[in-house]
Amino acid sequence: MNRLFIMLVSLALLLPSAVLAADSEGNTKDTDKDLSVDSSIATPGAYTLTITTEEFYEELMSRAREFKADKNYFEAANSLLGAAILSEDSKGRELRIEAARLYGWSGRYDIAEAIYGEILKKEPESKRARLGLAQIYSWSGRHAQSLQEYARVLKLQPGNPSALLGQARVKSWMGDYDGAIKGFSALLKIDPDNNEAREAKARTLWWQGKHASSIKELERILEKKPDNKEIKRLKRRVEWDAGPTLSVKGSQSSDSDSNEINSLKAIVYINHNTAGKLHFEFTRYNVSRKKDKGHATVLTIRNSTRVTGKLKIKPTISLINSKSGPASNSYMTVGVRAEVKINKRLRGTISARRSPYLDTAQLIRNNIRVTSYSGTLSYDIKKRTTLSASAGFNDYSDSNTSYTLRGNLAHTVFKEPDYTITAGYIPEYREFSKTTSSGYYNPPRLFSNDLYLNIKGLLYNDDLVYNATITAGLQNSSTKTEYTGALRIGATYYIKENFNVEAEAKWSKSALETSTGYRSETYKAGLNYLF
């Protein structure tokens, strides 16, 4: 790390409070802050900067504390680096290590790695620096290098709790759940009160599909800390994921072309083994547009199977019966989706499925079905910023085809214990091979740009979970250009820990929100019960 750069950064931080005063002859004037002079460099007509080393150091440390309290970790780290230059070797080294840790928290892994590397060149046996470097490697997805650094710490100090914990966490993120649980268990034998290790073990057991064991570990934490909100929230998630559950949901939708859709759905969810989750969904649709009516019944069976720690396969089969006027159709559709965790920062999905359009009586009569193929990659650019890109191809039963390109840049603006605010940008492009009159919206080309803001969180002792998203943008097709927008508000209220009610309302002016391309509004409500 360039010492001159660090000093310049430190000086820049202090300029507002430094004493700068001079006349045209270069004479220093009185100021309202009395500072003694260690050294000064002045030339005729130039300003003179005077500040003691001790006060310079205290000012930097004060700023570091303020920035850290405000969670501005990057600026806090800058201030600490400046203070490190003014300190003795041992104290300066500790300040550099703390600065590197804060750079890591801010997502500047490159700077943190450089600082740790500089320290380890001079002191290769510094356990704090090596532990910090191991963390940076793990956070940036370089798991093999992280494990090497943790192993070096354990060679220097066998049984080091931080190294054992970090090593087990990295194995968990790599999908080596058995190795991770073995590591957490070894640490808990040494330190049974290490709740950080017990929570990490509980999460790993959950990811492995061992819900009962996960819940048992979380209950042990709550025995000693019954008011721990984070653990109580995690326990609720694990319990509902363990199932079995029964849900009954209804919805009512309408669009600006007088189309109406009413549906009633029953869902049974069973976690049938440590690697699989089974959903049974029975849905009844009733659609109408003035006197034109139709209905459909759909039975869907969907399974989710964990093949490895990094790969999930989700096959789906649906049995459909639809009728509108004299037209009646019965058929089966299938689909499959694969989700893969490439590394800690990169994830991907691919899917292929056959599905019907059941949104209007005309679509049911025309028996429109679509075969879709899609792929998505999601990359965590920084700690709170994710970029996703997807491509899809659709083949319709009326001999039409289309392809879609879509992106999503999302940044978490605020992440607090009780709420999260995320802002994002979504560009999307669709192109159809031809325009048909089958009943779905298919302009030759459609380009959309949307900005959105989402807030979600918990209220009333976590009994109320809320989620709201507002979207605004511009859509351009071969026929028109228009402003678009959407508002979605939803909430779930836990009457008991195993029983909740949910409701959602959505208003949209967007050609992408419905198959018909019209403005729409949707209202949903449901009951969910955990056995």
Side-chain angles (χ1 to χ4, degrees):
M1 182 63 62
N2 190 300
R3 293 173 64 89
L4 178 60
F5 168 76
I6 297 170
M7 180 62 79
L8 289 174
V9 169
S10 305
L11 287 172
L13 289 169
L14 286 173
L15 281 178
S17 59
V19 181
L20 291 170
D23 59 20
S24 61
E25 300 299 324
N27 299 315
T28 303
K29 295 180 179 180
D30 292 336
T31 67
D32 58 358
K33 186 173 182 179
D34 183 21
L35 297 177
S36 59
V37 179
D38 275 356
S39 62
S40 63
I41 301 174
T43 57
Y47 288 105
T48 301
L49 170 65
T50 60
I51 190 168
T52 65
T53 300
E54 182 179 351
E55 287 189 315
F56 196 178
Y57 171 84
E58 291 299 332
E59 179 71 13
L60 286 168
M61 292 300 295
S62 175
R63 286 174 178 261
R65 287 189 291 268
E66 290 175 4
F67 284 131
K68 187 177 179 181
D70 292 337
K71 297 185 178 179
N72 188 343
Y73 300 124
F74 180 77
E75 294 298 344
N78 285 340
S79 297
L80 285 175
L81 276 184
I85 292 177
L86 305 176
S87 305
E88 297 177 358
D89 287 346
S90 60
K91 193 172 184 179
R93 181 188 66 243
E94 295 305 310
L95 289 174
R96 284 183 173 85
I97 290 174
E98 178 64 13
R101 188 167 72 102
L102 295 181
Y103 277 127
W105 287 5
S106 70
R108 293 304 305 269
Y109 303 140
D110 53 340
I111 302 178
E113 183 180 346
I115 295 172
Y116 285 132
E118 182 182 306
I119 294 170
L120 289 169
K121 282 180 183 178
K122 298 177 180 178
E123 299 182 52
E125 293 190 357
S126 171
K127 292 188 289 294
R128 283 195 65 198
R130 204 163 289 284
L131 284 169
L133 184 59
Q135 282 188 325
I136 295 300
Y137 283 149
S138 68
W139 293 344
S140 58
R142 291 172 286 175
H143 294 141
Q145 290 171 273
S146 178
L147 290 176
Q148 287 178 356
E149 293 302 325
Y150 282 127
R152 286 171 180 164
V153 174
L154 290 171
K155 187 175 180 180
L156 292 170
Q157 183 186 358
N160 181 287
S162 297
L164 288 173
L165 178 59
Q167 194 177 61
R169 275 184 168 155
V170 172
K171 288 180 179 180
S172 180
W173 295 337
M174 293 174 68
D176 180 11
Y177 297 141
D178 290 334
I181 291 170
K182 184 178 179 181
F184 292 131
S185 299
L187 177 55
L188 289 168
K189 283 184 179 179
I190 301 171
D191 182 10
D193 295 326
N194 191 324
N195 288 335
E196 195 175 359
R198 198 170 295 283
E199 179 187 348
K201 181 181 178 182
R203 289 182 182 273
T204 304
L205 288 165
W206 176 29
W207 298 338
Q208 197 178 30
K210 297 180 179 179
H211 296 81
S213 298
S214 175
I215 292 169
K216 184 178 179 181
E217 295 295 337
L218 295 172
E219 286 175 342
R220 289 192 64 177
I221 298 175
L222 291 172
E223 286 175 3
K224 297 181 179 179
K225 295 188 175 182
D227 296 327
N228 190 315
K229 272 191 172 184
E230 185 177 349
I231 298 302
K232 290 167 72 174
R233 291 170 182 174
L234 178 58
K235 181 172 176 283
R236 174 190 282 177
R237 291 172 61 192
V238 177
E239 287 174 339
W240 278 86
D241 189 56
T245 64
L246 172 64
S247 301
V248 179
K249 303 183 180 185
S251 71
Q252 182 182 52
S253 302
S254 61
D255 65 25
S256 55
D257 197 41
S258 302
N259 291 298
E260 293 186 1
I261 309 171
N262 294 293
S263 70
L264 185 63
K265 178 182 294 187
I267 306 170
V268 175
Y269 162 64
I270 301 173
N271 200 318
H272 58 89
N273 59 49
T274 57
K277 301 174 182 180
L278 196 61
H279 291 78
F280 297 91
E281 298 181 8
F282 179 83
T283 309
R284 174 72 175 183
Y285 295 95
N286 289 296
V287 299
S288 64
R289 183 177 183 271
K290 299 178 180 177
K291 294 183 179 181
D292 193 12
K293 300 182 183 297
H295 65 263
T297 303
V298 181
L299 174 62
T300 298
I301 303 173
R302 185 173 69 252
N303 192 27
S304 176
T305 303
R306 185 186 301 104
V307 180
T308 68
K310 293 187 175 184
L311 176 63
K312 288 182 181 179
I313 302 293
K314 298 181 176 181
T316 302
I317 182 171
S318 295
L319 303 175
I320 299 139
N321 176 265
S322 62
K323 182 176 176 61
S324 178
S328 179
N329 299 284
S330 297
Y331 50 93
M332 179 179 72
T333 63
V334 295
V336 65
R337 175 185 174 94
E339 300 176 356
V340 59
K341 184 178 179 181
I342 302 169
N343 57 46
K344 189 181 178 183
R345 301 174 71 178
L346 183 62
R347 302 168 298 283
T349 64
I350 55 173
S351 66
R353 63 190 177 97
R354 179 80 165 167
S355 57
Y357 273 169
L358 303 172
D359 295 15
T360 68
Q362 182 185 3
L363 288 168
I364 291 175
R365 274 197 308 277
N366 292 333
N367 194 24
I368 299 299
R369 309 178 209 179
V370 57
T371 303
S372 304
Y373 307 92
S374 66
T376 302
L377 285 175
S378 298
Y379 181 71
D380 297 329
I381 301 173
K382 293 182 178 179
K383 198 170 185 179
R384 294 188 177 185
T385 305
T386 300
L387 175 65
S388 300
S390 61
F393 176 79
N394 299 316
D395 186 6
Y396 300 85
S397 57
D398 61 352
S399 301
N400 199 3
T401 60
S402 71
Y403 68 85
T404 301
L405 300 174
R406 189 174 191 268
N408 186 0
L409 179 62
H411 177 70
T412 301
V413 184
F414 297 104
K415 186 176 179 62
E416 300 296 335
D418 293 331
Y419 70 91
T420 301
I421 298 178
T422 302
Y425 164 64
I426 300 177
E428 184 167 348
Y429 179 79
R430 289 186 186 181
E431 184 168 315
F432 289 84
S433 60
K434 61 182 180 181
T435 301
T436 68
S437 56
S438 301
Y440 62 94
Y441 185 58
N442 50 20
R445 287 174 299 278
L446 179 66
F447 185 54
S448 172
N449 288 278
D450 288 318
L451 297 173
Y452 67 89
L453 186 69
N454 170 265
I455 180 170
K456 58 183 179 181
L458 301 100
L459 293 170
Y460 305 116
N461 199 29
D462 293 353
D463 288 337
L464 180 67
V465 182
Y466 65 89
N467 195 325
T469 303
I470 185 170
T471 304
L474 184 69
Q475 287 178 354
N476 177 273
S477 69
S478 54
T479 58
K480 60 182 178 180
T481 298
E482 63 179 351
Y483 291 102
T484 63
L487 174 64
R488 179 174 60 84
I489 301 173
T492 300
Y493 184 75
Y494 284 82
I495 298 172
K496 298 174 65 176
E497 277 301 308
N498 68 329
F499 180 59
N500 66 56
V501 296
E502 62 179 74
E504 180 180 293
K506 183 173 183 178
W507 301 270
S508 172
K509 180 189 175 184
S510 170
L512 298 175
E513 294 294 334
T514 65
S515 62
T516 55
Y518 293 103
R519 295 189 301 274
S520 64
E521 56 184 50
T522 302
Y523 303 94
K524 299 179 180 179
L527 304 172
N528 303 289
Y529 182 76
L530 170 65
F531 290 95

